[in-house]
mmCIF file of all heavy atoms in Angstrom:
data_model
loop_
_atom_site.group_PDB
_atom_site.id
_atom_site.type_symbol
_atom_site.label_atom_id
_atom_site.label_comp_id
_atom_site.label_asym_id
_atom_site.label_seq_id
_atom_site.Cartn_x
_atom_site.Cartn_y
_atom_site.Cartn_z
ATOM 1 N N ALA A 13 10.659 -4.405 9.389
ATOM 2 C CA ALA A 13 11.801 -3.697 9.988
ATOM 3 C C ALA A 13 12.627 -4.648 10.843
ATOM 4 O O ALA A 13 12.080 -5.465 11.583
ATOM 5 C CB ALA A 13 11.314 -2.530 10.838
ATOM 6 N N VAL A 14 13.938 -4.535 10.719
ATOM 7 C CA VAL A 14 14.843 -5.337 11.547
ATOM 8 C C VAL A 14 15.232 -4.508 12.775
ATOM 9 O O VAL A 14 15.000 -3.304 12.839
ATOM 10 C CB VAL A 14 16.084 -5.803 10.753
ATOM 11 C CG1 VAL A 14 15.663 -6.737 9.618
ATOM 12 C CG2 VAL A 14 16.881 -4.629 10.239
ATOM 13 N N THR A 15 15.852 -5.170 13.743
ATOM 14 C CA THR A 15 16.175 -4.539 15.028
ATOM 15 C C THR A 15 16.878 -3.196 14.862
ATOM 16 O O THR A 15 16.480 -2.208 15.477
ATOM 17 C CB THR A 15 17.027 -5.498 15.884
ATOM 18 O OG1 THR A 15 16.322 -6.725 16.044
ATOM 19 C CG2 THR A 15 17.329 -4.903 17.246
ATOM 20 N N GLY A 16 17.916 -3.143 14.045
ATOM 21 C CA GLY A 16 18.675 -1.903 13.874
ATOM 22 C C GLY A 16 17.827 -0.761 13.334
ATOM 23 O O GLY A 16 17.997 0.397 13.737
ATOM 24 N N GLN A 17 16.915 -1.068 12.415
ATOM 25 C CA GLN A 17 16.039 -0.029 11.858
ATOM 26 C C GLN A 17 15.063 0.480 12.916
ATOM 27 O O GLN A 17 14.774 1.677 12.976
ATOM 28 C CB GLN A 17 15.280 -0.587 10.650
ATOM 29 C CG GLN A 17 16.176 -0.876 9.466
ATOM 30 C CD GLN A 17 15.480 -1.699 8.400
ATOM 31 O OE1 GLN A 17 14.773 -2.664 8.687
ATOM 32 N NE2 GLN A 17 15.693 -1.320 7.145
ATOM 33 N N ILE A 18 14.555 -0.427 13.726
ATOM 34 C CA ILE A 18 13.626 -0.032 14.794
ATOM 35 C C ILE A 18 14.350 0.852 15.805
ATOM 36 O O ILE A 18 13.841 1.912 16.198
ATOM 37 C CB ILE A 18 13.007 -1.275 15.467
ATOM 38 C CG1 ILE A 18 12.072 -1.986 14.476
ATOM 39 C CG2 ILE A 18 12.251 -0.890 16.748
ATOM 40 C CD1 ILE A 18 11.591 -3.352 14.932
ATOM 41 N N ILE A 19 15.546 0.444 16.215
ATOM 42 C CA ILE A 19 16.323 1.234 17.176
ATOM 43 C C ILE A 19 16.635 2.621 16.609
ATOM 44 O O ILE A 19 16.448 3.638 17.289
ATOM 45 C CB ILE A 19 17.616 0.495 17.579
ATOM 46 C CG1 ILE A 19 17.263 -0.768 18.392
ATOM 47 C CG2 ILE A 19 18.557 1.407 18.364
ATOM 48 C CD1 ILE A 19 18.434 -1.728 18.599
ATOM 49 N N ALA A 20 17.069 2.682 15.357
ATOM 50 C CA ALA A 20 17.390 3.973 14.732
ATOM 51 C C ALA A 20 16.156 4.871 14.692
ATOM 52 O O ALA A 20 16.234 6.077 14.982
ATOM 53 C CB ALA A 20 17.947 3.757 13.323
ATOM 54 N N HIS A 21 15.004 4.301 14.356
ATOM 55 C CA HIS A 21 13.755 5.078 14.325
ATOM 56 C C HIS A 21 13.421 5.615 15.713
ATOM 57 O O HIS A 21 13.098 6.802 15.877
ATOM 58 C CB HIS A 21 12.605 4.221 13.794
ATOM 59 C CG HIS A 21 11.275 4.881 13.942
ATOM 60 N ND1 HIS A 21 10.805 5.819 13.051
ATOM 61 C CD2 HIS A 21 10.333 4.762 14.917
ATOM 62 C CE1 HIS A 21 9.622 6.248 13.467
ATOM 63 N NE2 HIS A 21 9.315 5.618 14.587
ATOM 64 N N LEU A 22 13.477 4.744 16.715
ATOM 65 C CA LEU A 22 13.131 5.163 18.080
ATOM 66 C C LEU A 22 14.085 6.234 18.594
ATOM 67 O O LEU A 22 13.668 7.159 19.293
ATOM 68 C CB LEU A 22 13.103 3.957 19.021
ATOM 69 C CG LEU A 22 11.988 2.933 18.762
ATOM 70 C CD1 LEU A 22 12.172 1.717 19.651
ATOM 71 C CD2 LEU A 22 10.614 3.554 18.946
ATOM 72 N N GLU A 23 15.362 6.134 18.230
ATOM 73 C CA GLU A 23 16.327 7.168 18.640
ATOM 74 C C GLU A 23 15.974 8.511 18.008
ATOM 75 O O GLU A 23 16.011 9.550 18.670
ATOM 76 C CB GLU A 23 17.748 6.749 18.268
ATOM 77 C CG GLU A 23 18.289 5.659 19.174
ATOM 78 C CD GLU A 23 19.630 5.087 18.734
ATOM 79 O OE1 GLU A 23 20.038 5.293 17.566
ATOM 80 O OE2 GLU A 23 20.268 4.404 19.559
ATOM 81 N N LYS A 24 15.598 8.499 16.717
ATOM 82 C CA LYS A 24 15.218 9.742 16.031
ATOM 83 C C LYS A 24 13.928 10.316 16.608
ATOM 84 O O LYS A 24 13.755 11.526 16.666
ATOM 85 C CB LYS A 24 15.030 9.489 14.526
ATOM 86 C CG LYS A 24 16.287 9.260 13.760
ATOM 87 C CD LYS A 24 15.948 9.042 12.287
ATOM 88 C CE LYS A 24 17.054 8.332 11.559
ATOM 89 N NZ LYS A 24 16.642 7.869 10.232
ATOM 90 N N ALA A 25 13.006 9.436 17.001
ATOM 91 C CA ALA A 25 11.688 9.874 17.477
ATOM 92 C C ALA A 25 11.645 10.144 18.978
ATOM 93 O O ALA A 25 10.661 10.684 19.473
ATOM 94 C CB ALA A 25 10.644 8.809 17.120
ATOM 95 N N SER A 26 12.688 9.812 19.699
ATOM 96 C CA SER A 26 12.680 9.853 21.168
ATOM 97 C C SER A 26 12.152 11.153 21.755
ATOM 98 O O SER A 26 11.342 11.145 22.682
ATOM 99 C CB SER A 26 14.086 9.583 21.718
ATOM 100 O OG SER A 26 14.092 9.700 23.131
ATOM 101 N N GLU A 27 12.585 12.281 21.216
ATOM 102 C CA GLU A 27 12.200 13.584 21.770
ATOM 103 C C GLU A 27 10.730 13.920 21.538
ATOM 104 O O GLU A 27 10.202 14.829 22.169
ATOM 105 C CB GLU A 27 13.092 14.692 21.211
ATOM 106 C CG GLU A 27 14.546 14.564 21.619
ATOM 107 C CD GLU A 27 14.743 14.532 23.140
ATOM 108 O OE1 GLU A 27 14.142 15.359 23.846
ATOM 109 O OE2 GLU A 27 15.505 13.661 23.616
ATOM 110 N N LEU A 28 10.066 13.209 20.629
ATOM 111 C CA LEU A 28 8.642 13.462 20.365
ATOM 112 C C LEU A 28 7.745 12.766 21.373
ATOM 113 O O LEU A 28 6.565 13.081 21.479
ATOM 114 C CB LEU A 28 8.273 13.024 18.943
ATOM 115 C CG LEU A 28 9.010 13.762 17.827
ATOM 116 C CD1 LEU A 28 8.695 13.148 16.483
ATOM 117 C CD2 LEU A 28 8.658 15.238 17.841
ATOM 118 N N PHE A 29 8.303 11.803 22.104
ATOM 119 C CA PHE A 29 7.531 11.131 23.147
ATOM 120 C C PHE A 29 7.411 12.070 24.347
ATOM 121 O O PHE A 29 8.288 12.893 24.584
ATOM 122 C CB PHE A 29 8.231 9.834 23.591
ATOM 123 C CG PHE A 29 8.107 8.695 22.630
ATOM 124 C CD1 PHE A 29 8.939 8.613 21.515
ATOM 125 C CD2 PHE A 29 7.184 7.684 22.837
ATOM 126 C CE1 PHE A 29 8.847 7.557 20.627
ATOM 127 C CE2 PHE A 29 7.085 6.616 21.956
ATOM 128 C CZ PHE A 29 7.915 6.560 20.848
ATOM 129 N N LEU A 33 11.376 9.331 25.126
ATOM 130 C CA LEU A 33 11.533 7.888 25.270
ATOM 131 C C LEU A 33 12.855 7.514 25.927
ATOM 132 O O LEU A 33 12.905 6.636 26.787
ATOM 133 C CB LEU A 33 11.403 7.213 23.899
ATOM 134 C CG LEU A 33 11.403 5.693 23.881
ATOM 135 C CD1 LEU A 33 10.208 5.144 24.655
ATOM 136 C CD2 LEU A 33 11.397 5.173 22.454
ATOM 137 N N HIS A 38 15.864 2.107 27.950
ATOM 138 C CA HIS A 38 17.113 1.987 27.198
ATOM 139 C C HIS A 38 16.683 1.646 25.772
ATOM 140 O O HIS A 38 16.163 0.547 25.518
ATOM 141 C CB HIS A 38 17.990 0.894 27.811
ATOM 142 C CG HIS A 38 19.310 0.769 27.145
ATOM 143 N ND1 HIS A 38 19.524 -0.088 26.093
ATOM 144 C CD2 HIS A 38 20.478 1.431 27.364
ATOM 145 C CE1 HIS A 38 20.764 0.032 25.689
ATOM 146 N NE2 HIS A 38 21.371 0.944 26.446
ATOM 147 N N ILE A 39 16.847 2.585 24.861
ATOM 148 C CA ILE A 39 16.255 2.451 23.523
ATOM 149 C C ILE A 39 16.735 1.205 22.786
ATOM 150 O O ILE A 39 15.939 0.517 22.147
ATOM 151 C CB ILE A 39 16.471 3.737 22.690
ATOM 152 C CG1 ILE A 39 15.629 4.869 23.304
ATOM 153 C CG2 ILE A 39 16.103 3.519 21.226
ATOM 154 C CD1 ILE A 39 15.786 6.216 22.641
ATOM 155 N N ALA A 40 18.000 0.856 22.871
ATOM 156 C CA ALA A 40 18.495 -0.330 22.163
ATOM 157 C C ALA A 40 17.821 -1.598 22.681
ATOM 158 O O ALA A 40 17.400 -2.453 21.887
ATOM 159 C CB ALA A 40 20.007 -0.436 22.282
ATOM 160 N N ASP A 41 17.692 -1.721 23.998
ATOM 161 C CA ASP A 41 17.020 -2.901 24.569
ATOM 162 C C ASP A 41 15.545 -2.929 24.191
ATOM 163 O O ASP A 41 14.995 -3.975 23.856
ATOM 164 C CB ASP A 41 17.153 -2.915 26.094
ATOM 165 C CG ASP A 41 18.585 -3.165 26.558
ATOM 166 O OD1 ASP A 41 19.419 -3.634 25.748
ATOM 167 O OD2 ASP A 41 18.865 -2.881 27.745
ATOM 168 N N TYR A 42 14.895 -1.763 24.244
ATOM 169 C CA TYR A 42 13.475 -1.657 23.914
ATOM 170 C C TYR A 42 13.250 -2.001 22.444
ATOM 171 O O TYR A 42 12.329 -2.756 22.103
ATOM 172 C CB TYR A 42 12.993 -0.245 24.243
ATOM 173 C CG TYR A 42 11.521 0.001 24.066
ATOM 174 C CD1 TYR A 42 10.564 -0.785 24.713
ATOM 175 C CD2 TYR A 42 11.072 1.048 23.278
ATOM 176 C CE1 TYR A 42 9.214 -0.534 24.562
ATOM 177 C CE2 TYR A 42 9.721 1.317 23.125
ATOM 178 C CZ TYR A 42 8.793 0.515 23.763
ATOM 179 O OH TYR A 42 7.450 0.773 23.608
ATOM 180 N N GLY A 43 14.101 -1.484 21.572
ATOM 181 C CA GLY A 43 13.980 -1.783 20.142
ATOM 182 C C GLY A 43 14.163 -3.266 19.857
ATOM 183 O O GLY A 43 13.451 -3.844 19.031
ATOM 184 N N LYS A 44 15.100 -3.898 20.556
ATOM 185 C CA LYS A 44 15.322 -5.345 20.396
ATOM 186 C C LYS A 44 14.088 -6.126 20.865
ATOM 187 O O LYS A 44 13.641 -7.066 20.197
ATOM 188 C CB LYS A 44 16.557 -5.755 21.194
ATOM 189 C CG LYS A 44 16.953 -7.207 21.046
ATOM 190 C CD LYS A 44 18.271 -7.461 21.798
ATOM 191 C CE LYS A 44 18.818 -8.840 21.554
ATOM 192 N NZ LYS A 44 18.151 -9.903 22.225
ATOM 193 N N ILE A 46 11.004 -5.051 20.945
ATOM 194 C CA ILE A 46 9.950 -4.840 19.945
ATOM 195 C C ILE A 46 10.179 -5.762 18.751
ATOM 196 O O ILE A 46 9.261 -6.447 18.289
ATOM 197 C CB ILE A 46 9.905 -3.361 19.505
ATOM 198 C CG1 ILE A 46 9.254 -2.523 20.610
ATOM 199 C CG2 ILE A 46 9.160 -3.196 18.180
ATOM 200 C CD1 ILE A 46 9.319 -1.023 20.372
ATOM 201 N N ALA A 47 11.400 -5.793 18.244
ATOM 202 C CA ALA A 47 11.705 -6.618 17.063
ATOM 203 C C ALA A 47 11.421 -8.095 17.315
ATOM 204 O O ALA A 47 10.953 -8.803 16.424
ATOM 205 C CB ALA A 47 13.163 -6.414 16.647
ATOM 206 N N ALA A 55 5.638 2.596 8.411
ATOM 207 C CA ALA A 55 5.565 3.527 7.288
ATOM 208 C C ALA A 55 7.005 3.833 6.879
ATOM 209 O O ALA A 55 7.846 4.140 7.731
ATOM 210 C CB ALA A 55 4.845 4.805 7.691
ATOM 211 N N TRP A 56 7.273 3.722 5.595
ATOM 212 C CA TRP A 56 8.627 3.891 5.063
ATOM 213 C C TRP A 56 8.659 5.017 4.037
ATOM 214 O O TRP A 56 7.751 5.145 3.223
ATOM 215 C CB TRP A 56 9.085 2.603 4.374
ATOM 216 C CG TRP A 56 9.231 1.439 5.292
ATOM 217 C CD1 TRP A 56 8.251 0.546 5.663
ATOM 218 C CD2 TRP A 56 10.411 1.028 5.969
ATOM 219 N NE1 TRP A 56 8.769 -0.381 6.525
ATOM 220 C CE2 TRP A 56 10.096 -0.116 6.737
ATOM 221 C CE3 TRP A 56 11.721 1.522 6.005
ATOM 222 C CZ2 TRP A 56 11.030 -0.776 7.520
ATOM 223 C CZ3 TRP A 56 12.650 0.867 6.782
ATOM 224 C CH2 TRP A 56 12.308 -0.274 7.529
ATOM 225 N N THR A 59 14.198 3.940 2.284
ATOM 226 C CA THR A 59 14.717 2.963 3.245
ATOM 227 C C THR A 59 14.641 3.472 4.689
ATOM 228 O O THR A 59 15.161 2.830 5.594
ATOM 229 C CB THR A 59 16.185 2.609 2.919
ATOM 230 O OG1 THR A 59 16.960 3.811 2.973
ATOM 231 C CG2 THR A 59 16.295 1.953 1.546
ATOM 232 N N CYS A 60 14.005 4.611 4.893
ATOM 233 C CA CYS A 60 13.897 5.191 6.235
ATOM 234 C C CYS A 60 12.543 4.841 6.859
ATOM 235 O O CYS A 60 11.487 5.119 6.272
ATOM 236 C CB CYS A 60 14.063 6.707 6.165
ATOM 237 S SG CYS A 60 14.015 7.501 7.793
ATOM 238 N N LEU A 61 12.596 4.249 8.033
ATOM 239 C CA LEU A 61 11.390 3.940 8.799
ATOM 240 C C LEU A 61 10.908 5.248 9.420
ATOM 241 O O LEU A 61 11.543 5.784 10.316
ATOM 242 C CB LEU A 61 11.708 2.897 9.872
ATOM 243 C CG LEU A 61 10.571 2.432 10.775
ATOM 244 C CD1 LEU A 61 9.443 1.797 9.967
ATOM 245 C CD2 LEU A 61 11.104 1.430 11.808
ATOM 246 N N VAL A 62 9.788 5.785 8.922
ATOM 247 C CA VAL A 62 9.319 7.098 9.368
ATOM 248 C C VAL A 62 8.140 7.017 10.331
ATOM 249 O O VAL A 62 7.829 7.985 11.018
ATOM 250 C CB VAL A 62 8.979 8.016 8.176
ATOM 251 C CG1 VAL A 62 10.225 8.242 7.312
ATOM 252 C CG2 VAL A 62 7.831 7.474 7.348
ATOM 253 N N GLY A 63 7.472 5.871 10.372
ATOM 254 C CA GLY A 63 6.346 5.687 11.286
ATOM 255 C C GLY A 63 6.321 4.256 11.780
ATOM 256 O O GLY A 63 6.633 3.332 11.021
ATOM 257 N N LEU A 64 5.976 4.080 13.068
ATOM 258 C CA LEU A 64 5.996 2.741 13.647
ATOM 259 C C LEU A 64 4.955 2.606 14.750
ATOM 260 O O LEU A 64 4.870 3.462 15.624
ATOM 261 C CB LEU A 64 7.383 2.466 14.242
ATOM 262 C CG LEU A 64 7.566 1.152 15.000
ATOM 263 C CD1 LEU A 64 7.521 -0.041 14.045
ATOM 264 C CD2 LEU A 64 8.881 1.173 15.772
ATOM 265 N N SER A 81 4.113 1.099 21.547
ATOM 266 C CA SER A 81 4.805 2.258 20.998
ATOM 267 C C SER A 81 4.117 2.762 19.736
ATOM 268 O O SER A 81 3.728 1.960 18.881
ATOM 269 C CB SER A 81 6.260 1.884 20.674
ATOM 270 O OG SER A 81 6.969 2.997 20.201
ATOM 271 N N SER A 83 4.930 6.010 16.980
ATOM 272 C CA SER A 83 5.819 7.126 16.680
ATOM 273 C C SER A 83 5.854 7.417 15.187
ATOM 274 O O SER A 83 5.799 6.512 14.360
ATOM 275 C CB SER A 83 7.233 6.837 17.188
ATOM 276 O OG SER A 83 7.687 5.588 16.707
ATOM 277 N N VAL A 84 5.927 8.706 14.883
ATOM 278 C CA VAL A 84 6.120 9.191 13.514
ATOM 279 C C VAL A 84 7.193 10.269 13.613
ATOM 280 O O VAL A 84 7.129 11.136 14.493
ATOM 281 C CB VAL A 84 4.812 9.780 12.925
ATOM 282 C CG1 VAL A 84 5.060 10.378 11.544
ATOM 283 C CG2 VAL A 84 3.713 8.720 12.852
ATOM 284 N N LEU A 85 8.181 10.194 12.737
ATOM 285 C CA LEU A 85 9.253 11.182 12.762
ATOM 286 C C LEU A 85 8.700 12.585 12.505
ATOM 287 O O LEU A 85 7.762 12.765 11.724
ATOM 288 C CB LEU A 85 10.337 10.846 11.737
ATOM 289 C CG LEU A 85 11.078 9.527 11.950
ATOM 290 C CD1 LEU A 85 12.180 9.358 10.905
ATOM 291 C CD2 LEU A 85 11.643 9.413 13.359
ATOM 292 N N LYS A 86 9.317 13.557 13.155
ATOM 293 C CA LYS A 86 8.822 14.939 13.156
ATOM 294 C C LYS A 86 8.539 15.477 11.753
ATOM 295 O O LYS A 86 7.493 16.076 11.508
ATOM 296 C CB LYS A 86 9.841 15.834 13.868
ATOM 297 C CG LYS A 86 9.360 17.230 14.107
ATOM 298 C CD LYS A 86 10.364 18.008 14.940
ATOM 299 C CE LYS A 86 9.740 19.291 15.427
ATOM 300 N NZ LYS A 86 10.563 19.930 16.440
ATOM 301 N N GLU A 87 9.454 15.250 10.830
ATOM 302 C CA GLU A 87 9.286 15.808 9.479
ATOM 303 C C GLU A 87 8.173 15.121 8.677
ATOM 304 O O GLU A 87 7.838 15.554 7.580
ATOM 305 C CB GLU A 87 10.613 15.781 8.700
ATOM 306 C CG GLU A 87 11.225 14.415 8.543
ATOM 307 C CD GLU A 87 12.136 13.985 9.698
ATOM 308 O OE1 GLU A 87 12.067 14.549 10.809
ATOM 309 O OE2 GLU A 87 12.923 13.051 9.480
#
Side-chain angles (χ1 to χ4, degrees):
V14 296
T15 304
Q17 292 168 317
I18 292 170
I19 293 168
H21 171 82
L22 293 173
E23 286 173 344
K24 288 181 201 168
S26 177
E27 295 303 314
L28 298 173
F29 284 81
L33 186 62
H38 183 269
I39 292 177
D41 291 343
Y42 185 56
K44 184 175 187 285
I46 285 172
W56 295 87
T59 59
C60 182
L61 180 60
V62 299
L64 175 69
S81 183
S83 53
V84 176
L85 297 183
K86 188 174 192 168
E87 58 273 19

